[in-house]
Amino acid sequence: MNQPLHTLETADWNPALQPAIADAATDALENGQMLFMPRLAFAMSDAEKRFLSPQWSDGKAKNVSYDPAAQAVRHTSAEGNDRSALAAMMDRYAGAARALVSGLCPHYVPALEWGLTSFRPVSAANREASVRKDDMRLHLDAFASRPVRGRRLLRVFCNINPDGAPRVWEIGEPFDAVAARFRDRIAPQWPGSAWLLDKLHVTKGRRSAYDHIMLGLHDQAKLDDGYQRSCARTRLELPANSTWIVFTDLVMHAVLSGQYLFEQTFYLPPPAMRDEARAPLRRLEKIYQRALA
Ligand code: SIN
Ligand code: FE
């Protein structure tokens, strides 16, 4: 198995890296390694530390979410001044995450699209009732309501646990092995279904063949108890006050434990990669021998 981590010693959210170092970091990401920055912590003010409590989730969704484009926070119990302070903190994380990706992967800057920001104040070990939503099971990220049509999912995580608890993850087998193992279990996409899901606003935009296959891989891996018990994996303890970046559409991952995390999602069109042949879209098109996006 690939060495899972590519470690960078930066302690700065605006890292100034030599081009060769940045290119090596970008290649590591595209090859399925996690960029791991053990010394990169996100500073919170004393006033912001009040948000380190599960009470700020709305109780329905585990994660508080923030849309940097609309500057709107959702799924939180916070109101009034609390709500605007929470939004400001998440906005600052979003900006820091974007600056970080811009420094480490300057190649991506012109094409990098904003996704949502997530603040996770609830213990990750509270298992979800639904197997499909259970991120304690190894999976590739793919979202039923948000088609990406081949765009990459690049995510920046920061463990902000105040008691020094690590976020414990597992990393599974390489993408091509996952695709080969589960592809025959994915039901065909019914003609007209993508159009209908879009019309009914079940999806935000049209679900492509790529989205259908990625959702299939996500679901089939999570639903297979034997696979979850026995497949090859590496356990990672991601310490408090560390930051990591990973293409979660490429790397099989699961969270086992931890509490208090920031996450920022970016979308990246495959042509903006250093080598788009490494995108899940291109890998699947090679396997299926047809265009999928
Ligand atoms: C996930 O993306 O599957 C969950 C990651 C986490 O909450 O640590
Ligand atoms: Fe995930």
Side-chain angles (χ1 to χ4, degrees):
M1 200 182 290
N2 224 343
Q3 166 67 26
L5 300 181
H6 178 96
T7 302
L8 291 164
E9 291 300 333
T10 181
D12 190 341
W13 290 89
N14 290 283
L17 298 183
Q18 288 165 356
I21 308 272
D23 286 351
T26 308
D27 281 332
L29 264 182
E30 291 188 4
N31 286 332
Q33 288 183 294
M34 272 169 42
L35 295 187
F36 173 52
M37 284 133 297
R39 300 196 305 127
L40 186 58
F42 185 73
M44 290 167 68
S45 69
D46 285 339
E48 285 172 339
K49 289 187 180 144
R50 74 181 185 282
F51 293 123
L52 296 172
S53 157
Q55 77 175 86
W56 301 104
S57 110
D58 70 1
K60 288 180 236 126
K62 278 170 54 168
N63 304 333
V64 179
S65 85
Y66 176 74
D67 180 348
Q71 301 197 316
V73 64
R74 291 178 61 209
H75 305 304
T76 177
S77 61
E79 287 170 21
N81 288 343
D82 287 333
R83 199 177 179 94
S84 38
L86 185 58
M89 176 178 79
M90 293 181 72
D91 193 73
R92 210 169 71 250
Y93 181 74
R98 187 159 186 120
L100 181 67
V101 171
S102 305
L104 300 179
C105 310
H107 203 79
Y108 294 168
V109 170
L112 198 64
E113 299 168 27
W114 283 111
L116 298 180
T117 319
S118 159
F119 169 57
R120 306 185 180 178
V122 178
S123 170
N126 289 343
R127 219 177 240 286
E128 280 283 344
S130 143
V131 169
R132 281 188 176 80
K133 287 190 181 159
D134 184 0
D135 290 338
M136 298 182 77
R137 292 168 179 256
L138 284 156
H139 63 283
L140 301 165
D141 281 347
F143 303 105
S145 62
R146 291 177 186 275
V148 294
R149 291 179 292 275
R151 288 177 304 162
R152 306 300 315 276
L153 288 170
L154 182 63
R155 306 185 108 179
V156 182
F157 297 88
C158 182
N159 182 352
I160 50 168
N161 188 283
D163 307 315
R167 198 140 187 118
V168 181
W169 273 31
E170 286 177 342
I171 297 297
E173 61 183 354
F175 182 91
D176 290 350
V178 178
R181 191 187 293 275
F182 293 109
R183 67 167 289 200
D184 292 340
R185 296 191 213 169
I186 302 173
Q189 188 181 26
W190 292 107
S193 68
W195 175 86
L196 189 63
L197 291 172
D198 188 21
K199 276 284 163 264
L200 298 175
H201 302 292
V202 175
T203 56
K204 291 186 175 57
R206 190 77 68 94
R207 187 183 285 177
S208 66
Y210 172 78
D211 293 299
H212 178 81
I213 294 165
M214 289 296 287
L215 264 178
L217 295 177
H218 167 274
D219 290 356
Q220 291 307 320
K222 278 188 176 174
L223 290 165
D224 187 332
D225 291 334
Y227 179 72
Q228 291 291 334
R229 259 195 314 275
S230 63
C231 73
R233 71 198 67 200
T234 307
R235 181 187 162 96
L236 299 173
E237 295 208 355
L238 300 151
N241 301 313
S242 74
T243 299
W244 60 101
I245 308 180
V246 56
F247 276 116
T248 54
D249 54 0
L250 179 70
V251 178
M252 286 290 272
H253 61 282
V255 57
L256 299 194
S257 69
Q259 188 172 8
Y260 305 118
L261 182 86
F262 278 124
E263 178 268 319
Q264 176 65 49
T265 298
F266 296 103
Y267 300 103
L268 187 76
M273 296 170 62
R274 273 174 53 84
D275 178 4
E276 69 173 293
R278 298 188 282 209
L281 174 65
R282 301 298 176 226
R283 292 172 185 273
L284 290 172
E285 285 180 336
K286 211 165 144 191
I287 296 172
Y288 283 80
Q289 292 290 301
R290 64 188 173 98
L292 296 172

